[in-house]
Amino acid sequence: MRLEAVVDLAEVHGMACRGAFHPEPPDEVPALPDRTPAATLLLLGLVGSKKWSVFANSPEANDGDVDPLDRWSRRIIDGLAASFDGVALYPFGGPPYLPFQRWAMRAEPVAPSPLGILIHPDYGLWHAYRGALAFAERLTLPARVERPRPCDSCPDRPCLSACPVGAFSGQGYDVPACIGHVGSPAGGACRGGGCLARRACPVGPAHGYETAQARFHMAAFLAARRNG
């Protein structure tokens, strides 16, 4: 099996390859069904608004049921797992939750941003991980290219000052303040166009979420926090 074959089929179905690596015990990748260690882990997800229309036009996005993006992700990634004899893994559905952020930093040059979201040198904060495929086969992978974290050369860090209620600071993320603002009449700009702190990041503006995508994520964010 060639990695390119998996990546190409994933792209057809709306998923982007988010890097891959050969797991080691500290990575805590679950064992395969036969209890052998996974030899390759491929992360899949979304980048900017590219392919968002694939999800937006899917049955899951239009059936009115709960968790449409998670259900769509499962259908696509489960199908890829069946096609390539892999095992599908997901960042949702817990607790417990799999360490996708650690896996992401092993798979591609992302790093934590001041907002806590992983930042990519090209995509900025406009990307997401929707699942992973674990394989028994040790696939040939391209050499990893190390790149600096964009935040280290961003002295002003406008992301920290753009939040209307100062939810992001050196003391961490003030979740109640964020939820209270976004859910209030004053939070219309955040609900309608996405988190203002996230939008203030100067990295990768061309990949920023389109309006419908931003609204979807903010509505899902509010629903998850209120139900949690």
Side-chain angles (χ1 to χ4, degrees), residues 113-117 125-126 158-169 173-175 177-179 181-183 186-203 205 208-222 225:
S113 72
L115 302 186
I117 307 169
L125 304 176
W126 306 109
C159 61
L160 292 178
S161 58
C163 177
V165 292
F168 301 99
S169 69
Y173 173 34
D174 188 338
V175 178
C178 175
I179 296 296
H181 174 73
V182 174
C190 294
R191 291 194 306 275
C195 170
L196 297 183
R198 194 174 188 178
R199 286 163 53 189
C201 177
V203 182
Y209 292 163
E210 61 186 36
T211 301
Q213 185 178 4
R215 286 177 177 168
F216 172 91
H217 284 300
M218 291 305 292
F221 165 73
L222 277 178
R225 292 294 182 175

Side-chain angles (χ1 to χ4, degrees), residues 49-81:
S49 290
K50 182 183 179 183
K51 302 288 187 178
W52 179 252
S53 62
V54 179
F55 163 70
N57 293 313
S58 70
E60 293 84 357
N62 295 283
D63 63 12
D65 206 347
V66 298
D67 300 325
L69 186 56
D70 289 353
R71 290 186 290 115
W72 174 77
S73 300
R74 283 191 183 277
R75 176 167 63 84
I76 300 304
I77 298 175
D78 283 354
L80 292 168

Side-chain angles (χ1 to χ4, degrees), residues 120-146:
H120 188 279
D122 297 323
Y123 312 134
L125 304 176
W126 306 109
H127 61 98
Y129 299 93
R130 298 304 312 162
L133 292 172
F135 299 104
E137 184 178 348
R138 187 178 176 88
L139 303 179
T140 300
L141 304 179
R144 178 185 170 108
V145 178
E146 297 295 341

Side-chain angles (χ1 to χ4, degrees), residues 8 40 59 66 68 73 81 87 110 121 153 158 184 188-189 192 204 208 224:
D8 289 347
T40 305
V66 298
S73 300
V87 174
V110 294
S153 58
S184 74

Side-chain angles (χ1 to χ4, degrees), residues 21-25 27-42 85-89 103 106 132-139:
F21 63 95
H22 297 130
E24 299 175 356
D27 295 315
E28 298 183 286
V29 175
L32 300 174
D34 64 1
R35 299 187 179 181
T36 60
T40 305
L41 191 74
L42 168 66
D85 195 24
V87 174
L89 303 170
W103 293 352
R106 286 271 280 125
L133 292 172
F135 299 104
E137 184 178 348
R138 187 178 176 88
L139 303 179

